Amino acid sequence: MSKLIIANWKMNPDSLSAANKLFTNIKKTALTTRNITTVIAPPLVFLASLAASTKARRIQFAAQNTHFADSGPQVGETSVKQAKDAGASYTLIGHSARRANGETDEDVSRKVAAALAAKIVPVLFVGETERDVHGNFLRVVRSQIKRAFADVPASRVKDVVVCYEPVWAISTSGSGKDITLSEVHQMMLYVHKVLVEMFGLSVARKVKMLYGGSVNKDNAADIFAIPGVEGAVVGGASLNALEFREVLQAANKS
Ligand code: PGA
């Protein structure tokens, strides 16, 4: 199955010209890595312009957030239809940076449903803030999954992409701890198990699962070799076209 690599640029870079430059450099690799789909999640203010500059199917775009309402008085928010109109075919939902700013499981669930209704792919983020020796972090992840999928009918489950991204392993989170390959593997199995409990094996196996958190040129090949990892969300390393090229090439070879 072809891998999905999402470049989560977060609130970078500073200008449209810098975004164009970064995208142009990434595009060179993304056009030649035939076994993968590269998704760029730029700041929304740059998305329409970048998306208009390419028609290549293996390069897609994502909004970093979308609202659950179709339209209305939500100041500073973007609807799924607006993101889609700007050129996004994916939307990131429930990223830990947004959860830290007050986004609730209920919001996440409604946002997933709104994305599915508008036929744009929701990339659902789940992941614990910290690990504890008693395994409570498993309950956290289980509950995030259960609540996010609460209103998703079994027939649409396959249209959701799930990214397991432990907050403590994000490059800028400051914990300084690295996740091990076996910990990533265990969590891929765990996320899959929760989906199997909810929807059964035949539905759960159709859900694409990604890993996110400090994926870079040095660990990409090992991460993509883990069973169950079907792609990655890449933050910091996606802001450097040379480094991101190595991540894309590792995914392309895996
Ligand atoms: P990172 O960020 O790759 O810099 O750890 C990933 C993310 O937050 O999506």
Side-chain angles (χ1 to χ4, degrees):
M1 205 194 275
S2 84
K3 294 226 168 20
L4 180 68
I5 310 298
I6 301 179
N8 183 8
W9 287 0
K10 308 184 184 179
M11 203 167 71
N12 304 288
D14 287 344
S15 64
L16 178 59
S17 70
N20 270 323
K21 199 168 159 212
L22 178 58
F23 179 58
T24 303
N25 287 328
I26 289 175
K27 196 158 58 172
K28 285 180 202 146
T29 313
L31 288 173
T32 55
T33 40
R34 292 168 185 273
N35 303 323
I36 62 175
T37 300
T38 304
V39 178
I40 309 292
L44 204 69
V45 69
F46 303 147
L47 195 150
S49 168
L50 297 181
S53 71
T54 181
K55 292 278 166 282
R57 287 234 317 277
R58 62 176 71 103
I59 303 177
Q60 301 285 325
F61 290 87
Q64 293 178 11
N65 170 49
T66 41
H67 202 270
F68 48 75
D70 275 348
S71 62
Q74 291 80 2
V75 175
E77 296 284 349
T78 307
S79 73
V80 190
K81 281 191 187 143
Q82 290 166 336
K84 202 173 165 185
D85 190 60
S89 43
Y90 293 77
T91 175
L92 312 188
I93 300 201
H95 188 278
S96 56
R98 297 206 58 86
R99 291 184 190 258
N101 278 335
E103 187 162 286
T104 64
D105 282 325
E106 168 70 18
D107 296 331
V108 169
S109 158
R110 294 176 76 183
K111 288 179 175 196
V112 168
L116 288 173
K119 298 204 165 52
I120 171 168
V121 180
V123 180
L124 166 69
F125 285 73
V126 298
E128 75 282 6
T129 312
E130 54 188 13
R131 288 255 163 144
D132 61 293
V133 289
H134 305 293
N136 283 325
F137 69 93
L138 293 173
R139 267 192 281 278
V140 170
V141 173
R142 166 184 292 264
S143 148
Q144 287 173 340
I145 298 168
K146 291 219 155 180
R147 295 177 74 175
F149 277 94
D151 293 326
V152 179
S155 63
R156 298 303 309 276
V157 172
K158 64 174 182 353
D159 301 323
V160 182
V161 173
V162 178
C163 178
Y164 169 66
E165 185 171 272
V167 184
W168 55 272
I170 294 175
S171 66
T172 48
S173 77
S175 83
K177 276 184 256 154
D178 289 336
I179 193 164
T180 65
L181 297 174
S182 70
E183 283 170 334
V184 175
H185 187 201
Q186 283 160 13
M187 290 309 292
M188 288 294 139
L189 292 171
Y190 186 72
V191 171
H192 179 67
K193 173 174 140 48
V194 175
L195 290 171
V196 171
E197 282 168 20
M198 290 183 80
F199 301 106
L201 182 61
S202 62
V203 170
R205 68 152 53 107
K206 292 191 190 127
V207 177
K208 204 168 191 85
M209 295 209 300
L210 315 181
Y211 169 73
S214 296
V215 176
N216 57 42
K217 65 177 171 40
D218 300 322
N219 60 19
D222 287 340
I223 287 172
F224 296 136
I226 298 170
V229 174
E230 296 169 281
V233 174
V234 186
S238 73
L239 295 171
N240 176 327
L242 286 179
E243 166 137 29
F244 193 53
R245 179 171 72 188
E246 295 193 36
V247 174
L248 294 179
Q249 286 171 343
N252 194 47
K253 275 195 222 128
S254 62

